[in-house]
Amino acid sequence: MRAQLKPDLAGGHAAAAAASLDQFARAKLAELERVHLRRSLVDTTRTDSLWVTRDGRRLLSFSCNDYLNLAQHPAVKEAAIAAIRRHGVGAGASRLVTGNHPLLGELEARLARLKQTEAACVFGSGYLASAGIIPALVGREDLVLVDELAHACLWAGARLARGTVLAFRHNDVRHAEALLVEHRGRHRHVLIATEGVFSMDGDLAPVPRLAALASRFDAWLMSDDAHGLGVLGNGRGSTFATAKKAEVALQMGTLSKAIGGYGAYLCASRPVIDLMHNRARTLIYSTGLPAALAAAAIAALDLIEREPAYAARPLAKAKAFTHMAGLPEAESPIVPVMIGSAEAALAASRLLLEEGFLAVAIRPPTVAEGTARLRLSFSALHPDGEIERLAELVRTRILAR
Ligand SMILES: Cc1ncc(COP(=O)(O)O)c(C=O)c1O
């Protein structure tokens, strides 16, 4: 119909549609502003592995997930640069077309060895991995149980699968069990999804107990270990952090945190990985990970495997901080400083900014209403004196309020 409008009329309709779209966006933004939840992008340059520049100021960052400072490690950078020189920048196509560079296979073999699985599959990012893996395994007749605090990408994957999705209370294995008792019989397959290390809370999932529960109910356990790889279990991740390795059928994680680059992976059995090549839509219909990022990840894994003592440092620094700040002992390099309202969290972040620290406020909907916080992340190279100064500020000027 629209194609038949006279040009001047069609132009008028287009202008009206554009105006209503802008009006919608402005109204949404105004509402977010009113409740202190509006976000904006702030130019930030990371010139080394700890310090950033924002608005012309040099700040010590406690808001990066580069736990091992590998994003700026000479060997990691050299590996990426050499791969770009040799192979170019982009992969050129999906991995199933021409984008399956041999370096991806090499990286997958390394990841499978590290995680002690038969095989692995690399994806473009953590979000893409989760959005591809879960719908490839479960569908309309199936059930996905997700920890209520699990990362948005696990929720996205679960919802894309179009089956029944239920939340279990955070780290509450008994609640997950009760849900399985009630619902298991009505579903063909069940997938339980959790994070190995919770990205906004820093605590660990009870992975061995969830694994035992999954096997009792013939359910499949998937752990997103984005924040465990490289820093827990001698660098192997949270699945390896307990005395006995937890049996997790689907070990997912990212290459963008301790590995210092970008991309993600699933480590699992050979048939599951072969199925991903055939059914994971975010792998099939998305361009392959650039070879340079695979080369960088391989170099980072070399460093992690060579120096497990270095991998333990971020957690040790986080523990020292929590001890000095009077907070519960850190379980991972991530430490939440709970504030409450979004407005107060922004004020706390500004206070630390004035003192030379970048500690970004995390607000709803990333975290639940009333639980806005500063999320601090510690890296191997954070200077002890600065950690001490930060702890003193948090203890005396933020928590004491
Ligand atoms: C636990 C967790 N899973 C997945 C992701 C998404 O990974 P990516 O940034 O590679 O999309 C993140 C954050 O980025 C995360 O914190």
Side-chain angles (χ1 to χ4, degrees), residues 282-327:
T282 55
L283 180 102
I284 299 168
Y285 299 110
S286 190
T287 300
L289 186 75
L293 287 163
I298 292 167
L301 289 173
D302 281 343
L303 292 165
I304 291 167
E305 284 182 5
R306 221 180 296 140
E307 281 192 68
Y310 184 72
R313 281 173 63 167
L315 175 56
K317 301 249 174 191
K319 282 187 177 173
F321 169 82
T322 49
H323 180 69
M324 289 185 279
L327 290 166

Side-chain angles (χ1 to χ4, degrees), residues 20 34 73 86-87 125 134 152 208 224 227 259 264 272 347 378-379 385:
S20 75
R34 193 182 66 74
H73 192 288
R86 188 136 183 246
H87 309 294
S125 76
I134 301 177
D224 174 352
H227 298 275
I259 301 296
V272 168
F378 292 83
S379 76

